[in-house]
Amino acid sequence: LVALFKARVELADGAGVAADLGGIRIASSAVSWMIVIGLAATGSGSGTVAVGATISVNVFEHESAVEIGRVTLRAGKDITVFATGEDFTVLVNMALGAAGSGNAIAGAIPVVVSNTDISAKVGDGSKLNAGGSIAVAADLSSKTIDVAGGLAAGGGSAGVGATLSTAVYGSAIEARVGKNVVMYAGAAGAGAAGAGVATPNRSDRRRGILISATGNEMLILVAVSAGAAGTAGVSGVVNTLVAKNS
């Protein structure tokens, strides 16, 4: 499975946006929910061998980006530039092998490669003037559950179960304000209910100028292997996780 998902908002150089009686919100949001299930099962009542195997390769590329060039923004209330991403992925791969009088072999080999890029950028030389507050924020919330198992049972001499699980995760979260940018926030409404800006990862509101890049990631990897036979049962698990976040 290869899944490529992009959500982008761009405001080109030279653009001017004014909302003297309201606010300006420039935002990108990418939400991804994926459930992938692979199951292989085989059985032999009187044969010499039963073999079950699953090989699952999954590549995910996600991007949520807001990029504004050299622009002029003027608002009576707040100016917000938000890029957010939410990923929820469940991967289940199971291999089952059973032989009544022979040997049984079962194996699961799941591979997951996931890269996520969340960015909110204000270009060089931009001018932002807000009667309220200004916020430039990027936020990622990611949850992955990866379950793999190889289970083998045979009445013969050998039952072999093996699981080889590999997961590579990379996340880049960036909130950037370029060179020679002028930002003015009047923070109007101080003390009033609802004044200020709530960034994507917080419920409370803050006034002024906010620049924030935040991430919240949860990974759960479960690998199970079992082998049973009349003479010898062999099982093994190899779990490899590589995670790089910036």
Side-chain angles (χ1 to χ4, degrees):
L1 171 65
V2 177
L4 306 177
F5 183 32
K6 292 185 178 183
R8 292 184 60 88
V9 176
E10 297 183 5
L11 198 59
D13 289 346
V17 180
D20 291 336
L21 299 180
I24 296 175
R25 179 182 176 88
I26 305 172
S28 171
S29 178
V31 179
S32 173
W33 286 60
M34 293 189 181
I35 299 176
V36 180
I37 298 175
L39 175 63
T42 184
S44 175
S46 59
T48 59
V49 65
V51 178
T54 60
I55 299 176
S56 175
V57 178
N58 303 280
V59 179
F60 304 126
E61 296 278 350
H62 297 155
E63 178 186 10
S64 176
V66 176
E67 187 167 348
I68 62 177
R70 185 187 296 265
V71 301
T72 299
L73 305 180
R74 186 181 74 245
K77 296 183 179 180
D78 301 324
I79 296 176
T80 57
V81 180
F82 286 168
T84 60
E86 180 181 350
D87 296 336
F88 180 75
T89 305
V90 177
L91 303 170
V92 179
N93 292 280
M94 301 294 294
L96 309 174
S101 59
N103 301 321
I105 302 172
I109 305 176
V111 178
V112 181
V113 178
S114 178
N115 292 299
T116 303
D117 187 2
I118 309 296
S119 61
K121 300 178 181 179
V122 177
D124 296 348
S126 292
K127 296 180 180 180
L128 282 66
N129 189 319
S133 298
I134 297 174
V136 179
D139 180 72
L140 171 64
S141 177
S142 176
K143 298 179 177 64
T144 301
I145 301 173
D146 187 355
V147 180
L151 309 176
S157 59
V160 179
T163 301
L164 304 176
S165 179
T166 302
V168 179
Y169 290 90
S171 300
I173 308 166
E174 180 182 12
R176 183 173 68 84
V177 175
K179 299 177 181 179
N180 302 316
V181 171
V182 177
M183 307 175 80
Y184 172 81
V197 175
T199 54
N201 67 318
R202 298 176 65 118
S203 59
D204 60 315
R205 308 180 75 86
R206 290 171 285 177
R207 294 186 303 274
I209 296 175
L210 313 173
I211 302 173
S212 171
T214 55
N216 180 16
E217 186 171 34
M218 181 182 73
L219 299 175
I220 299 176
L221 302 180
V222 180
V224 179
S225 179
T231 302
V234 180
S235 65
V237 173
V238 178
N239 237 351
T240 302
L241 170 62
V242 178
K244 182 179 181 180
N245 301 316
S246 62

